[in-house]
Structures are given as structure tokens and as C-alpha cells.
Amino acid sequence: MNNTVLPLALAMLATTGVSHAAVPAVAVDIAPVHSLVAQVMGTLGTPELVVSRGASPHGYSLRPSEAQALQEADVVFWVSAALTPWLADTIDTLAPDATHVQMLDIPGNTILTRRENALFEAHDHDDDHSDEHDDELDDELDDEHDDEHDDEHDDDEHSGETHDERDPHAWLDPTNAAIWLDTIARELSSADPEHAELYLANAEAGKAELESTSTQVEALLAPARSRRFIVFHDAYQYFENAFDFPASGAIALGDASRPGPARIQQIRDRVKQASVKCVLAEPQFNPGMVATIIDGTDARSSVIDPLGTGIEIGPELYPRMLRGLATVLADCV
């Protein structure tokens, strides 16, 4: 009897192992993209997150477990070298045989160019009096921009900044996320044809949820439209563009650059003279600079995050992150 049961058990284990091996091993750079991949994979598997939660993706040192995830990956989804300049060579070294998918290069994306000025053109619809102040501030900014840009350029080169002019934060536009879901499903189907139908169905379900989430975001932002706010670093242009909710400026050009005194003064002037209601901090950065900027004004501060830090990773992180951005913005302004 034992001689019959043992071969049967071994056969079952072997069959299970073959089925599991058919699902590709997947590594993903940041949590929002991880969420989209997890949505498409569903119950078939769980992608590995490469950049730890709460860390800046621009400059990062891999942990051994994260390096191993790349080494074992069959497919790697990552935004681009514009976001993680250190990751391009790392992927080539650790996962040379894997399929590499740069999300920013997917055809059909809405792609925006990086903004450089501290103040944005988010004020055109406001009253003429405010516009006069804003025009004066923009003129001052133009005079001082060259020196400020040189300071930030030095910081960026030191940190390995690429010269890609595209704004890499494209996941914050849900229309891009919908395109990415389709691409993720196609890539996984190519790697695992046996489960192609399920990948495609999961992508369709994900797109339906994105539509519902976008409607919820619009409703959350509606009462706060035309209110002004400042962000800590210029990461939210895609969200602003998608939901017609523009920021008035950013304290820092990027998460790897240090704002110079001229830029900080421009932001302080905008807050004081243009009725800015809210200046937003981020969990990865020192809130002291935000406190300095709003000191002596009626502006409030709150914490916002384009990476969904604090939300459990998985399929629901992405829609929860979008709703969270809208809720914080509406409440703060």
C-alpha cells in the first residue's frame, strides 16, 4: 500500500510544480505599478516589489532580497530611467534574460514634459488682481531662474539624474494606467499563454475600476476647484492634468534636487500674495521647509504621497492612492 501511495504523491507534487512554474516570476519597481501588475496577475501569483516602501525611487540601494527578485524575474516592469536612473544598468546586469518593459515607452501614453519653474501657470482663470501679482512673480522668477537652475542641475548630476525631458510620474494619470494594464496583460500572456484569458479579463476588470475611481476623484475635487495649492516636489503634473486641478508651484524641482533660496522666496511670495490655501509636504522629506514657507500666512499644510506609502501593497493600492490624493487635496485647500 505504501509503495502505491508514495509514487502517487510524488506525481501530484510534480504536477503542481509544473503548473506553478508556468506563471512567470515578475519584478516591479514602485508600488503603484506593482498594484497594476498585481491586478492583472490576480490569484495566479504575486509580483515582487523592488523599491522599498517609503524610499525615494530616484536614488536607492537594493537590498539582497530585492536584487534576488530581479535575478529570478522572467518579466520586469519599471517606469523608466527618468525615475530610477540607477535601475537601468542594474536590470541589465541582474536580469539580462528577462523581458524588460519600460512603462513610459508604451505607445499611446499621455506624456508631459518636466516643468522647471517654481511657479506654474495655474492661475489664468483667477481674478485680474491676482494675475497682476502672479505676472510680477513670474517676471522675478525669469530673472533669477538661471542661477537657480544651475544649483539644481549640480545636485541632479551628483545624484545621477538623466537628461530625459519627460516627466516620469505618468502613473498618476489613470488613462495611462489603463493603457499599462493592457500592456501588462499582453506581456504576461506572452510569457504564460496558458493563462492569457485570465490576464486579459483581469486587465478589463482593472480598467472598469479605474473608471469608477476617476468618477469618485472628480466628485471629491469638485467642491475645491479653483483653490490654490503648492506641492513639495513636482510629481503631480499628470494628476493635475487628468483632473483639471492645477498646482500653483513646487518647492523642489524633483525629489533629488535641493531648492535654492531664490526658488524658496518665489514660493513664499506666491503663498502670501496669491491666496494659496495649502502647501503639501511628503512623507519622504523633511516637513520643516513647508513650515517655514507657510509661517505667517493663512495657508495650511498636509501630507500627500505619489507612491501610496502607508497603503497596503496589492491590487487595491492604486485606486486607493488616487482617492487619497483627492481627499487630502480637497480637505487641505
Side-chain angles (χ1 to χ4, degrees), residues 105-308:
D105 291 341
I106 294 173
N109 278 334
T110 295
I111 298 296
L112 303 175
T113 303
R114 294 175 186 264
R115 299 182 287 200
E116 294 186 351
N117 287 0
L119 308 182
F120 306 149
E121 299 301 323
H123 48 273
D124 295 339
H125 59 279
D126 290 336
D127 59 82
D128 293 338
H129 181 69
S130 293
D131 284 345
E132 290 176 4
H133 282 300
D134 293 338
D135 290 341
E136 291 173 1
L137 292 176
D138 289 338
D139 290 342
E140 292 172 11
L141 176 64
D142 290 338
D143 293 339
E144 298 177 356
H145 172 67
D146 290 340
D147 290 339
E148 175 190 345
H149 180 70
D150 289 342
D151 291 343
E152 290 181 344
H153 182 67
D154 290 342
D155 288 339
D156 288 342
E157 284 197 333
H158 179 71
S159 61
E161 175 68 64
T162 69
H163 296 288
D164 193 334
E165 294 301 319
R166 297 175 298 174
D167 184 336
H169 305 88
W171 66 88
L172 289 179
D173 184 339
T175 60
N176 285 341
I179 293 170
W180 295 6
L181 284 170
D182 284 336
T183 299
I184 293 164
R186 285 196 300 269
E187 293 293 343
L188 294 179
S189 296
S190 177
D192 179 17
E194 181 181 349
H195 297 111
E197 187 174 341
L198 184 55
Y199 293 133
L200 296 172
N202 287 344
E204 289 300 316
K207 288 190 292 182
E209 185 173 15
L210 283 178
E211 290 184 9
S212 175
T213 299
S214 294
T215 300
Q216 295 169 28
V217 169
E218 293 280 6
L220 287 166
L221 293 176
R225 292 206 180 278
S226 300
R227 300 296 182 89
R228 297 178 177 222
F229 66 98
I230 299 288
V231 296
F232 187 88
H233 91 282
D234 191 12
Y236 305 93
Q237 184 179 190
Y238 287 93
F239 185 90
E240 298 166 39
N241 187 64
F243 296 105
D244 191 24
F245 201 83
S248 290
I251 298 171
L253 180 64
D255 63 356
S257 63
R258 182 180 64 251
R263 189 180 184 103
I264 293 174
Q265 187 60 50
Q266 291 294 327
I267 294 295
R268 282 181 55 83
D269 289 344
R270 173 60 61 89
V271 171
K272 290 179 179 179
Q273 299 179 28
S275 300
V276 170
K277 302 296 183 182
C278 176
V279 180
L280 294 161
E282 294 185 23
Q284 297 93 344
F285 303 106
N286 189 335
M289 191 175 296
V290 171
T292 297
I293 286 172
I294 66 174
D295 184 43
T297 74
D298 294 330
R300 292 180 290 181
S301 67
S302 191
V303 178
I304 199 170
D305 179 38
L307 296 172

Side-chain angles (χ1 to χ4, degrees), residues 23-64:
V23 177
V26 181
V28 186
D29 57 352
I30 59 172
V33 181
H34 178 278
S35 178
L36 298 174
V37 176
Q39 169 70 45
V40 175
M41 295 188 74
T43 59
L44 291 174
T46 302
E48 296 289 339
L49 182 62
V50 172
V51 178
S52 296
R53 310 298 306 284
S56 170
H58 187 91
Y60 185 72
S61 297
L62 288 178
R63 298 174 179 176

Side-chain angles (χ1 to χ4, degrees), residues 5-16:
V5 172
L6 184 57
L8 179 60
L10 291 174
M12 292 175 64
L13 285 172
T15 302
T16 302

